[in-house]
Amino acid sequence: MMTFPQIDPVLVSLGPLQIHWYGVMYMIGFAGGWWLAKTRADRPGSGWTRQQVSDLLFYAALGVILGGRVGYVLFYGFDRFLDNPLWLFQIWTGGMSFHGGALGVLFAFWLFARRTGKRYFQVADFAVPVVPIGLGAGRFGNFINGELWGRASDMPWAMVFPSDPMGVPRHPSQLYEFFLEGVVLFLVLWIYSAKPRPAGSVTGLFGIGYGLSRILVEFFREPDAHIGYLAGGWLTMGMLLSLPMVLIGAAMVVWAYRHDQRRAAV
């Protein structure tokens, strides 16, 4: 068993002002995504300016925060919301959903495309290759906070998380997600999108890559205590929400290449 590193979730405390590692991870994710997107925008013929990249980051940030919170409330805490509708706005109590944030970002892409006159997939395909930077940073923030841990395990790298009331060794599933959703997915998307691809194919590949990564990690991640397993002692809400991403993403890739072939044949 490995020892969980005792890292104070609060990075800096100045009187009543506290800067948490989790917030810093969000900042790193947005800053890293902005820098990489800016780098691609600077290439000749990119069709993007630095100002457009900054504006898109603002839209995406709103989509992540608003969509992530609304998604968490609807997917993971709807009963609590019915008891106390104001809980929706109590973001400081915690609770963000990736799937809700993803829907919020897709909507933000649509708003940005409408405002700038760009095609939707011109925006989405440009932006999604840098999204794993934020995903990876967020998962590392989860690890520092000692939250969203994995299932009980006897593997050599299992560890006891301080906030676990059972005090048993568990999979560090946050690090699994950091590696798959952050490192691996970023490399796949960045390399794939380095050359011109059919419109929509990059976005579709993101859906496939994230969905498969999340479904795999869900086999090692402890489900939310107030939801548990949905069926069979293995099906979780994370799996259920990720499966449509895989199916829709695969359909988008197939559609993108077929549409591109038909257009080339004309």
Side-chain angles (χ1 to χ4, degrees), residues 2 41 60-61 99 112 121 134 151 238 242 258:
M2 296 184 66
H99 298 90
F112 181 84
F121 283 123
R151 306 182 192 186
S242 297
R258 288 183 176 178

Side-chain angles (χ1 to χ4, degrees), residues 216-236:
L216 176 60
V217 173
E218 284 290 316
F219 284 101
F220 303 95
R221 176 173 164 172
E222 184 75 11
D224 293 76
H226 64 290
I227 295 179
Y229 296 104
L230 301 182
W234 61 271
L235 181 65
T236 66

